[in-house]
Each structure stands twice: as structure tokens, then as C-alpha cells.
Amino acid sequence: MSDERTLAEGMVEKIGEETGALTHETHMNGEKTPFVEKRPFRDHREGLMRIGELLGGPETAVIGDTSDIGAVGHRVVHGGEAFHEPTIIDDRVLEAIRDNIELAPLHNPPNLLGIEVAKSIFPDAVQVAVFDTAFHQTLPMPAFLYAIPYELYEKHRVRRYGFHGTSHAYVCERASAYLETSLEGLRLITLHLGNGASMAAVKDGKCIDTTMGMTPLGGLVMGTRSGDVDPALPFFLADHLDMSLGDIDRVLNRESGLKGLCGSNDMREVIRMAQSGHDRARIALDVYIYRIRKFIGAYAAALEGLDAMVFTAGIGENAPTIRWRACEGLGHLGIALDRARNTVPGKGISEISAEGSRVRVLVVPTDEELRIAQETKRVIEK
Ligand code: ADP
């Protein structure tokens, strides 16, 4: 961590399916050496155990033995209201993550398993949880409370939580360093546009609003998720189309968004289709962009002005046309992009706003793994 160098990176995909794959790339002596293993991985435990072996294995080693690892940082999706910052994992923290399973049934159980397996692979390491929700715990009550019976908040913790917190926090800090301006006094909008997508309004380094809600389904149009819809839509789907709760969940989470509108959830393909005259792809892009613009306006009001905007994640970093259309015509808010800078941004952080634009607009590559490592180090050094 002294020079924040990546020693190895990799992932296990298609866990539980017949054709699994593990990739593991070591970065040693300035050279990147890939290692691929194509075979089924029964479950997350088997995948993570194998990663542990490879880190010390004969041809893929980047550490001497497992005692070389001082800490393991875990991305934990839902920390509920219990966690405002990264935390060393002890029994009390495990219990709290378990308590939040009802808020994130798909994510918190595998997170718990990951912690358990990491403890057995690295028994000497400190385990740290970095929560996706933590950065948004500064939301003021008017921004996080839904106008539904108050008991649902008090007794069942129904409220807006927000996600992608590690990414929003990371790009805020990077932007403040690039702009050579302290986060104190800075009014920022961050746009994390990946498969999942969310925006955050950040004032004095604190998040004051974000587009995702109690779950990661709310807000922007995403690859396969609808984002905001009329909350009465599920009644209509149940009453008129005879859909079960499971059907509705599938439709809104997996069959909506760009995919629902034009058949593809891959932004590269949607842009290609739109360029070659595919009507529905054009409509999908229009809806996608309109939603972003609407939130830019909303957040400029929430922040009482705007100093900078940051685009990040797969689409935010790589799709000039989306950035251009999201900002076009927003001169009244002080936002003006430079066409050439936007089309070919430099490597790393780049500024794409026009000379003289009151709002400075940046593209900042996100790095959630690095942020998790930095936070983990910060916690154990406290
Ligand atoms: P995840 O949320 O899965 O981490 P990413 O941040 O990798 O997702 O973003 C994935 C999205 O980025 C996909 O919709 C993909 O099409 C889009 N994307 C990646 N590269 C480009 C590009 N050059 N132009 C447009 N979209 C891109």
C-alpha cells in the first residue's frame, strides 16, 4: 500500500454454472502475466478458496505465504443505518450485517460467506467491511425519508439508502485533488454510469442526495433496471397482467432499462443501433439521457448551485456522446463542454468542460478496489 501498486487482480465468473472461469493476473517486475482456469466453481466458497491458493501458488504467487496479508477489505453492499464508515469486522459487525439481510437479500449473504472464507484463508489478517451505503448516510432526513407511514421507517427501516458509495466517494476525492480545491465549500454532482447507474449530490464532501433508493432499483435508467417508475405500477401489473411479485421483480430488475426499451443492455450496442437508424434504440437513449438531465437540474437546486460534475464508470468514462447530450443546453446552469476535449479525453483524469465554463466537468476513472484498500488501511491504522 505504500505505493498503492496492484500486485494481482482477477475474478471468478459464472459461479454455480457449468462453464465457470477464473482469471488471475499477476503484476510483478513490471510485467503482467495472465492465468486462466476454465472449470465449474460450485459456489463462492470454492472460488475464493482457489483465489487464496493462487495468491501463494507456485506459478501465480505474489505473496510468500498467507501471513503476508495484513488485512482484507470486503465490499459489503448494505450497512443499513448501522454503519457510517468502514469498520473492522468483529462478531457485533457480523451480527449487524446479518440484521441487514432483509434489506439486501441477494448481496449480504454472499458477503458474509466471503468474510467467513477470507478468515479461514488468512487467519492472521484483520477483516474490514467497506459499505456501499456508508457514503450516503449523511443524507438529510428530507432526502432519505419516503412519505409513507412513519412506522415503516421506525420499525422496518424503510428509507432511501443509496449505493455505489465507494465509487462516488472515490471520484469526489480525486476530483477535489485534481481541481486543487478542498471538498469543503465544493458543490459536486457525481454520475456513476455503469450497468447499474446512480448520481449523487455532494456538498462539503458530504453526500446530500442520491438517485438510488432503499434498493438499487430506483433512480436512473440502467442496463436492465427501470429506475424510477410510478410506485403504483406493480398494482397494475398484478391486476391487469396477473403477474406475481416474483414476475414484477424480474421485469423491473432484469427486463427493463435499456434492455426493456430496445433489446440490448450494452450501451456500446445501443449507440451503434441508434446510429444505424434503429428507432427503439434512439428512444432508449432519449429516455436514458432525459432522466440524467432531470437529476442534474434537481441536484443543482438541492446543492443551491454547482461547481463541478464528474462522470465515471463504463459509460461515464467511455461514451462521449452520452456525456455531450447529458450536458447540452445546460449553459443556464453554467455547464459547457468542449467538443474536442469531450471526444478524446486524456488518460486518467481529464477535464472536458469548455474554457470559461463556470462548472468544471471531469471524467474520473473509478477504482472501487483501490478505494476499498485505502479505506481498509485507514481503519486499521486508526
Ligand atoms: P458494472 O456496473 O458492471 O461495473 P461498467 O462500469 O463496466 O459496469 O459499465 C458497463 C457499461 O459500460 C456497459 O453498458 C458498456 O456498454 C458501457 N461501455 C463500456 N465501454 C463503452 C464505450 N466505449 N462506449 C459506450 N459504452 C461503453
Side-chain angles (χ1 to χ4, degrees), residues 290-302:
Y290 181 73
R291 188 81 51 89
I292 293 174
R293 292 165 63 81
K294 200 154 90 167
F295 277 112
I296 293 175
Y299 287 174

Side-chain angles (χ1 to χ4, degrees), residues 193-196 265-268 271 313-315 318-319:
L193 308 176
N195 272 316
N265 63 335
D266 184 327
M267 183 54 95
R268 278 166 294 205
I271 293 173
I315 297 169
N318 300 302

Side-chain angles (χ1 to χ4, degrees), residues 7-197:
L7 300 180
E9 62 183 307
M11 64 173 148
V12 184
E13 292 172 275
K14 303 198 176 175
I15 289 170
E17 294 180 27
E18 274 172 28
T19 55
L22 177 152
T23 47
H24 176 93
E25 187 179 71
T26 55
H27 303 198
M28 298 297 274
N29 310 321
E31 242 177 74
K32 293 187 178 180
T33 316
F35 173 88
V36 180
E37 192 167 274
K38 291 215 156 123
R39 66 171 175 97
F41 289 87
R42 212 173 35 235
D43 51 24
H44 289 77
R45 180 187 301 275
E46 190 179 320
L48 192 46
M49 295 296 277
R50 184 67 184 131
I51 291 171
E53 281 169 17
L54 288 173
L55 289 171
E59 283 157 38
T60 50
V62 290
I63 54 173
D65 64 58
T66 53
S67 67
D68 283 353
I69 299 291
V72 180
H74 296 264
R75 176 196 193 189
V76 179
V77 167
H78 220 307
E81 287 190 318
F83 299 103
H84 295 218
E85 46 185 50
T87 310
I88 291 179
I89 300 172
D90 56 17
D91 288 345
R92 185 189 60 85
V93 174
L94 284 176
E95 196 49 46
I97 298 173
R98 226 170 270 130
D99 262 0
N100 285 318
I101 286 180
E102 65 174 350
L103 296 173
L106 295 181
H107 293 103
N108 278 19
N111 286 158
L112 284 164
L113 179 65
I115 294 165
E116 188 194 311
V117 177
K119 269 183 173 169
S120 67
I121 302 174
F122 306 108
D124 305 323
V126 184
Q127 309 288 328
V128 173
V130 181
F131 297 95
D132 231 23
T133 46
F135 182 60
H136 305 300
Q137 276 298 303
T138 46
L139 255 60
M141 204 176 227
F144 78 65
L145 200 59
Y146 296 128
I148 55 177
Y150 192 75
E151 295 71 38
L152 288 174
Y153 168 57
E154 266 187 323
K155 296 210 179 80
H156 301 283
R157 300 176 292 163
V158 175
R159 52 161 286 178
R160 179 188 309 281
Y161 287 99
F163 299 86
H164 294 139
T166 49
S167 177
H168 288 292
Y170 176 77
V171 299
C172 276
E173 273 176 23
R174 300 276 294 160
S176 133
Y178 178 90
L179 297 169
E180 296 178 351
T181 314
S182 145
L183 279 169
E184 209 59 46
L186 200 63
R187 296 161 302 182
L188 271 170
I189 295 178
T190 50
L191 301 94
H192 176 107
L193 308 176
N195 272 316

